[in-house]
PDB file of all heavy atoms in Angstrom:
ATOM      1  N   LEU A 135      -2.226 -23.024  -6.634  1.00 97.00           N
ATOM      2  CA  LEU A 135      -2.111 -22.843  -8.076  1.00 97.00           C
ATOM      3  C   LEU A 135      -1.255 -21.626  -8.414  1.00 97.00           C
ATOM      4  O   LEU A 135      -0.406 -21.678  -9.316  1.00 97.00           O
ATOM      5  CB  LEU A 135      -3.500 -22.705  -8.697  1.00 97.00           C
ATOM      6  CG  LEU A 135      -3.546 -22.498 -10.213  1.00 97.00           C
ATOM      7  CD1 LEU A 135      -2.870 -23.654 -10.940  1.00 97.00           C
ATOM      8  CD2 LEU A 135      -4.986 -22.346 -10.688  1.00 97.00           C
ATOM      9  N   LEU A 264      18.227  -4.600 -22.925  1.00 98.00           N
ATOM     10  CA  LEU A 264      19.347  -5.432 -22.498  1.00 98.00           C
ATOM     11  C   LEU A 264      20.448  -5.431 -23.549  1.00 98.00           C
ATOM     12  O   LEU A 264      21.639  -5.325 -23.231  1.00 98.00           O
ATOM     13  CB  LEU A 264      18.867  -6.859 -22.224  1.00 98.00           C
ATOM     14  CG  LEU A 264      19.928  -7.883 -21.818  1.00 98.00           C
ATOM     15  CD1 LEU A 264      20.686  -7.437 -20.578  1.00 98.00           C
ATOM     16  CD2 LEU A 264      19.293  -9.254 -21.598  1.00 98.00           C
ATOM     17  N   LEU A 265      20.058  -5.512 -24.812  1.00 98.00           N
ATOM     18  CA  LEU A 265      21.043  -5.461 -25.883  1.00 98.00           C
ATOM     19  C   LEU A 265      21.744  -4.107 -25.918  1.00 98.00           C
ATOM     20  O   LEU A 265      22.955  -4.027 -26.150  1.00 98.00           O
ATOM     21  CB  LEU A 265      20.357  -5.727 -27.231  1.00 98.00           C
ATOM     22  CG  LEU A 265      20.019  -7.188 -27.523  1.00 98.00           C
ATOM     23  CD1 LEU A 265      19.089  -7.281 -28.721  1.00 98.00           C
ATOM     24  CD2 LEU A 265      21.292  -7.988 -27.779  1.00 98.00           C
ATOM     25  N   PHE A 348     -14.564   4.275  -6.122  1.00 98.00           N
ATOM     26  CA  PHE A 348     -14.198   3.530  -4.919  1.00 98.00           C
ATOM     27  C   PHE A 348     -13.041   4.174  -4.164  1.00 98.00           C
ATOM     28  O   PHE A 348     -12.655   3.686  -3.108  1.00 98.00           O
ATOM     29  CB  PHE A 348     -13.835   2.090  -5.311  1.00 98.00           C
ATOM     30  CG  PHE A 348     -14.837   1.485  -6.240  1.00 98.00           C
ATOM     31  CD1 PHE A 348     -14.619   1.483  -7.608  1.00 98.00           C
ATOM     32  CD2 PHE A 348     -16.032   0.988  -5.750  1.00 98.00           C
ATOM     33  CE1 PHE A 348     -15.571   0.969  -8.473  1.00 98.00           C
ATOM     34  CE2 PHE A 348     -16.983   0.473  -6.616  1.00 98.00           C
ATOM     35  CZ  PHE A 348     -16.760   0.456  -7.976  1.00 98.00           C
ATOM     36  N   ALA A 394     -14.600  16.524 -18.964  1.00 98.00           N
ATOM     37  CA  ALA A 394     -14.078  17.863 -18.678  1.00 98.00           C
ATOM     38  C   ALA A 394     -12.635  18.011 -19.130  1.00 98.00           C
ATOM     39  O   ALA A 394     -12.160  19.126 -19.367  1.00 98.00           O
ATOM     40  CB  ALA A 394     -14.178  18.147 -17.177  1.00 98.00           C
TER      41      ALA A 394
END
Side-chain angles (χ1 to χ4, degrees):
L135 180 59
L264 178 57
L265 283 168
F348 313 97

